Amino acid sequence: METIFITGSHGIVGRELVRSVARACTGRARIVLLLRGDALEVRAKLMRVRCHVGDARCEINAVPGDVTSPRLGIDEGTYAQLTRDVTMILHAAADTGFRQSREDAGRVNVKGTAHVLELARLCVHNPRFGYLGTAFVAGGRTGEIAEDACGVEGPFFTEYERSKAYAEALVRDASRSLPVSILRLGIVVGRQTDGVIGTFDGPYRVFKLAQHGLLAMLPGDPSQPVDFVPVDFAADAITWLMRDGFRAGETFHVCAGPHRSLPLGAIMPLVMARFAALDPAFRAHGYPAPVVVTPEVFRDFVDTIEQVGNPRLRSVLENLQTFTRHLSAPKRFSTARLDRALEGSGLSLQHAQDFLPTLVDHAVRARFEVSA
C-alpha cells in the first residue's frame, strides 16, 4: 500500500499539493499529514484540507506533531508505524517569515528538515523524499540562475533564504542514501484557473498598496522578468516530479522561467488596468502606475522615509521591502531541466500576461482577504 507523508499541508502550496497528490493516487493509497496542535485543532485542520481536496482517490489522515521536535513530536507507536508504511515523503513545512532571526529560521527550516530526513532514513521502504525549497536561495546573485546553482555562501537578503540554503545542503547530502529531489519554488501566486490562493502575501501586498495609491516606485530593471508561478501548476508539477517524472538526486526550479514571465515594467500597468476596470472609485482617483527606478534611487527613498519617521509610511515600506529586495538583484531562473522533465505530463503553464488578470480580479473581489 502506498503511504505518502506530507508536512506543511496548511501552507500556501501545502493544501493545493495535497489535493494534487490525492487526485494522482491510484489503487490503494493513503496520505498522512503532519499537523500542529492538540487533537481538536488537528481534527479541524484535517477537515479543512479534506474540504479543499474534495473528491479524492485515497484516504487522508493526520497525526499531531511538529517538525521542530525530535521524532517530529509523534508518539512512539505511531512513529514506528510510519517507518514501516511510508513510501514517499513531501517536506513542505517551513517558516517563510522574512524578518525572523537566524535562530528561529534554523530551528524550523534546518533542524526541522533534519528531523524529517531522520524519519526517511528509518523507513524500511527507502521512500522518495521531495524537499520544497525556494528559488530565492539565490539571494543577492544576479543574472541567470541554473537549477544546480547556489550553495550556502550567499550573499543572502534574509535569514529565511540562508536557512533554506542550509536545509537544501542537508537534503543534498542525504542523497547518498535516499532518493531525493529538491523542488525550488518561485514567487507563488493564485491558481491560474480562478486566482484562488490561501494567503494574500508577497506581491499581493504590493498590489494592495498600489490600489490605495501608496506605491510610487519599485526598484530594479524594467526589463527583468519577475517569476510568478501559479499554485495549482506548482502543485501538479511537484506531484508529477515525485511520481511519473521522478529523477533521484535532481534539483528543479518549479518556476515560470523567463519565457513565461512578464518584465517588471509591464506588471504594474497591467495590475492598475485591472483595478480601473473593476473599481470605479479607483478609476476616479487616476493613480499613476509606480515608476521603476534604480536600486540606488529606491534606497534614497527608503532613507528619506526612515528620517521622516511617519509610522504609516514605515509600515508601508516594510510590506514593500519583503518583495522588493530581490528586484534590486535582477535574476532569471532557468527552467530547462523542469521543462524537459514535464514532457509527457500534459501540464501547461500560461504566460503571466494571461493569468495575472485572473489573480488581480480574484484579489479585488475578495478585498485581499482570505475567507477560510
Side-chain angles (χ1 to χ4, degrees), residues 45-67:
K45 288 179 179 179
L46 177 59
M47 287 297 294
R48 287 197 290 273
V49 172
R50 285 174 172 169
C51 287
H52 183 77
V53 169
D55 292 335
R57 299 177 181 176
C58 63
E59 174 186 337
I60 304 175
N61 293 317
V63 295
D66 190 323
V67 296

Side-chain angles (χ1 to χ4, degrees), residues 207 209-213 271-289:
F207 300 163
L209 291 175
Q211 187 186 35
H212 292 283
V271 171
M272 305 283 277
R274 292 311 303 160
F275 287 158
L278 296 169
D279 184 359
F282 177 87
R283 190 163 57 247
H285 280 297
Y287 295 129

Side-chain angles (χ1 to χ4, degrees), residues 189-356:
V189 293
R191 295 192 300 227
Q192 61 180 337
T193 53
D194 56 16
V196 170
I197 191 169
T199 304
F200 289 112
D201 213 339
Y204 289 96
R205 292 184 177 184
V206 176
F207 300 163
K208 188 174 182 180
L209 291 175
Q211 187 186 35
H212 292 283
L214 296 173
L215 186 62
M217 62 183 73
L218 287 169
D221 178 344
S223 66
Q224 73 185 79
V226 179
D227 202 295
F228 293 149
V229 57
V231 66
D232 50 349
F233 172 80
D236 289 344
I238 290 167
T239 299
W240 171 266
L241 293 170
M242 289 302 297
R243 298 176 71 85
D244 299 276
F246 184 73
R247 300 180 186 181
E250 298 278 37
T251 299
F252 298 95
H253 278 157
V254 185
C255 299
H259 54 300
R260 290 178 294 231
S261 297
L262 277 168
L264 175 60
I267 291 173
M268 293 312 300
L270 189 156
V271 171
M272 305 283 277
R274 292 311 303 160
F275 287 158
L278 296 169
D279 184 359
F282 177 87
R283 190 163 57 247
H285 280 297
Y287 295 129
V291 178
V292 179
V293 298
T294 66
E296 292 74 22
V297 169
F298 189 76
R299 278 198 293 271
D300 288 343
F301 167 66
V302 170
D303 291 342
T304 301
I305 296 299
E306 291 295 337
Q307 291 170 16
V308 169
N310 183 292
R312 188 184 184 197
L313 288 177
R314 280 185 169 179
S315 177
V316 168
L317 199 59
E318 286 179 1
N319 284 334
L320 187 60
Q321 285 186 292
T322 60
F323 178 69
T324 58
R325 287 186 180 95
H326 285 280
L327 298 181
S328 300
K331 53 181 66 69
R332 302 177 305 280
F333 298 114
S334 171
T335 58
R337 182 179 294 158
L338 173 77
D339 294 340
R340 289 194 300 270
L342 292 183
E343 291 176 3
S345 69
L347 299 178
S348 63
L349 174 60
Q350 302 171 21
H351 192 280
Q353 67 184 5
D354 297 317
F355 66 72
L356 187 56

